[in-house]
Amino acid sequence: MVTGRTGLRRLIGVQDKEILRLAVPAFFALVSEPLMLLADSAIVGHLGTPQLAALGVAGTILQTLVGVCVFLAYGTTSSVARRIGAGDHRAALAQGIDGLWLALLLGVVLALAGLILAPTAIAAFDPSADVAGHAVTYLRISCFGIPSMLLLLAATGVLRGLQDTKTPMIVAISANLANIGLNVLLVYGLDLDIAGSALGTALAQTAAGVALVVVVVRGARRDGAKLRPDRPGILASAQMGVPLIVRTLTLRAAIILLAFVATALGTTSVAAHQVAFTLWSFLALALDAIAIAAQALTGRSLGAGDVAGTRAITRRMMWWGLFSGLIGGLALWGLRDLYVPLFSSDPEVRSTLAAVLVVAAIWQPVNGVVFVLDGVLIGAGDGPYLAVAGVIALVLYVPLALCVLWLGGGIVALWWAFGVYMLLRLLTLITRERGDGWLVTGATR
């Protein structure tokens, strides 16, 4: 029997291996999505400026529609992982199937809404006539892929709950490669212009969604789980997703406000902000990968009734988040003289961007812990608290951001305000983690 320090080291070693086993594939799957967007931008960009602008407008609407539905992945991960922890694979997969049906229903509704309201939604951005025409075309074709995109989210959540992040990674990378090939073929080979890009991306995402759904359905059949729609199960999945939607909307609102104020501060400010936020978002992917591991491991541990184990893995993941944030911050700060010139030749933009990145780097360790605790509480099924915490942080952040605009504080002050927003999130999350209210054990919460 191993005791003392040796036993503690072995326990920590096992925890680290589990975190890495889930987080590393999750990271590569997450990275594939922005790479797909970059590939689309590069291919469409050579068609002309109106097409590229149209992609930006239509892509923003599409990403918002799908982004609000991220609860399909997060909520499903939590509920499936709990049942896995409780040793009930059949119930876990039955819950996953309910999530797939909910995703399909929502996908059909959103696709129809998008097809009908596409001109109105595009017009809200007030683009020029040629941009608007391309944007409507892109958005309407993309709407046919929305059901598959939501099925992809739900199926990914099921597999994460089953402690499998490798399969979603393989499918995501394959879809990315297929997307590039299809876009080049349809846009240039068949001369379909921006419609070819929309169709190619929709086909690639549909193939990815079908592939993961097949994996989940095979698992359900193997364990004898039902495949037909179950109304109570679908409704339960929907109800569980409501607080996560609120949590997501508060985060999106904070980011939109950040961009709004940056735009109002002037061209140089918004240019520096765009680059800084792009880099911030990329670092967030590494932190989000740890958060995904946190969702899966927390749900499984609580499902098994292991409160002490949940506490231990949570504290370990918090250290991982802090360390990852520190490394990311140091890289952001220390290497800025090397990469800042790559983004702009304007001396004023370079100077402003370098100053903003110092602030962004300082807050990275805070971001690391926030992402991890967010994942832990999602894994625990603590959505209602996350919704309330998100509203509190947003309400306190809004006047700070607006004061920057009203008092002429500049883009650096705005990023300090955004850092305070992340600190507010940290305080609400760590307060919850210190208590016991989220530590509900069993197959269901």
Side-chain angles (χ1 to χ4, degrees):
M1 182 177 182
V2 181
T3 59
R5 291 185 178 180
T6 302
L8 179 60
R9 288 195 191 102
R10 288 189 180 179
L11 175 61
I12 291 174
V14 170
Q15 291 176 344
D16 289 341
K17 287 179 181 178
E18 283 221 279
I19 294 169
L20 286 172
R21 178 179 64 82
L22 294 171
V24 172
F27 172 73
F28 285 108
L30 290 169
V31 167
S32 71
E33 182 177 346
L35 289 177
M36 183 181 289
L37 294 175
L38 285 174
D40 288 353
S41 298
I43 293 168
V44 171
H46 288 286
L47 293 172
T49 300
Q51 287 91 332
L52 184 58
L55 176 64
V57 174
T60 298
I61 296 171
L62 192 63
Q63 290 166 37
T64 300
L65 287 174
V66 176
V68 170
C69 296
V70 73
F71 75 90
L72 291 167
Y74 290 171
T76 305
T77 297
S78 169
S79 56
V80 171
R82 274 185 173 272
R83 287 163 175 78
I84 290 297
D88 193 344
H89 280 247
R90 179 182 294 180
L93 283 160
Q95 180 69 47
I97 294 297
D98 291 336
L100 293 181
W101 281 110
L102 176 62
L104 181 60
L105 292 172
L106 282 176
V108 170
V109 170
L110 290 178
L112 290 174
L115 285 168
I116 296 169
L117 301 175
T120 303
I122 297 299
F125 287 80
D126 195 25
S128 61
D130 54 347
V131 171
H134 289 305
V136 170
T137 297
Y138 187 93
L139 183 57
R140 278 184 162 160
I141 294 174
S142 296
C143 283
F144 288 101
I146 289 178
S148 297
M149 293 165 72
L150 298 196
L151 281 169
L152 181 62
L153 280 176
T156 297
V158 175
L159 293 173
R160 288 173 180 170
L162 295 172
Q163 316 297 295
D164 176 12
T165 56
K166 184 179 292 185
T167 302
M169 176 195 71
I170 294 171
V171 170
I173 293 174
S174 300
N176 194 10
L177 295 174
N179 174 67
I180 295 172
L182 286 169
N183 269 252
V184 171
L185 173 64
L186 297 173
V187 172
Y188 298 117
L190 299 182
D191 199 24
L192 295 181
D193 204 84
I194 195 172
S197 177
L199 180 59
T201 300
L203 289 173
Q205 290 168 333
T206 297
V210 169
L212 285 191
V213 167
V214 167
V215 172
V216 173
V217 168
R218 283 178 177 173
R221 285 176 172 170
R222 184 175 58 248
D223 285 350
K226 57 181 176 55
L227 298 178
R228 65 182 182 278
D230 178 63
R231 185 179 177 184
I234 294 172
L235 288 176
S237 295
Q239 291 170 354
M240 182 173 54
V242 171
L244 291 180
I245 292 176
V246 174
R247 166 255 179 206
T248 300
L249 288 175
T250 60
L251 180 57
R252 292 296 304 172
I255 291 171
I256 290 171
L257 179 59
L258 179 67
F260 171 80
V261 176
T263 303
L265 291 174
T267 302
T268 299
S269 293
V270 73
H273 164 75
Q274 177 59 34
V275 176
F277 190 75
T278 299
L279 293 169
W280 186 93
S281 299
F282 181 79
L283 291 177
L285 294 176
L287 302 177
D288 205 27
I290 303 174
I292 287 170
Q295 294 171 27
L297 294 174
T298 301
R300 188 188 70 185
S301 184
L302 288 175
D306 186 2
V307 172
T310 303
R311 285 271 188 208
I313 196 69
T314 296
R315 297 292 166 83
R316 191 61 182 171
M317 285 186 290
M318 287 172 66
W319 279 109
W320 268 92
L322 181 64
F323 178 75
S324 299
L326 182 62
I327 295 299
L330 289 174
L332 202 61
W333 187 335
L335 300 176
R336 67 189 187 282
D337 289 341
L338 295 177
Y339 62 77
V340 165
L342 300 175
F343 293 99
S344 176
S345 58
D346 186 328
E348 189 176 357
V349 172
R350 287 184 180 183
S351 175
T352 304
L353 175 58
V356 170
L357 289 172
V358 171
V359 179
I362 290 172
W363 289 110
Q364 283 303 306
V366 170
N367 295 350
V369 181
V370 167
F371 275 69
V372 166
L373 287 178
D374 206 39
V376 166
L377 296 181
I378 289 174
D382 203 21
Y385 181 84
L386 288 171
V388 172
V391 171
I392 291 172
L394 179 63
V395 168
L396 295 175
Y397 162 67
V398 168
L400 285 176
L402 293 179
C403 279
V404 171
L405 179 59
W406 294 332
L407 300 177
I411 189 66
V412 174
L414 177 62
W415 270 78
W416 276 110
F418 187 64
V420 172
Y421 166 70
M422 295 303 295
L423 180 61
L424 290 169
R425 291 190 67 202
L426 174 65
L427 293 175
T428 57
L429 295 176
I430 208 163
T431 297
R432 185 63 165 175
E433 187 274 334
R434 297 283 180 178
D436 297 325
W438 61 282
L439 291 167
V440 179
T441 59
T444 58
R445 182 177 169 86

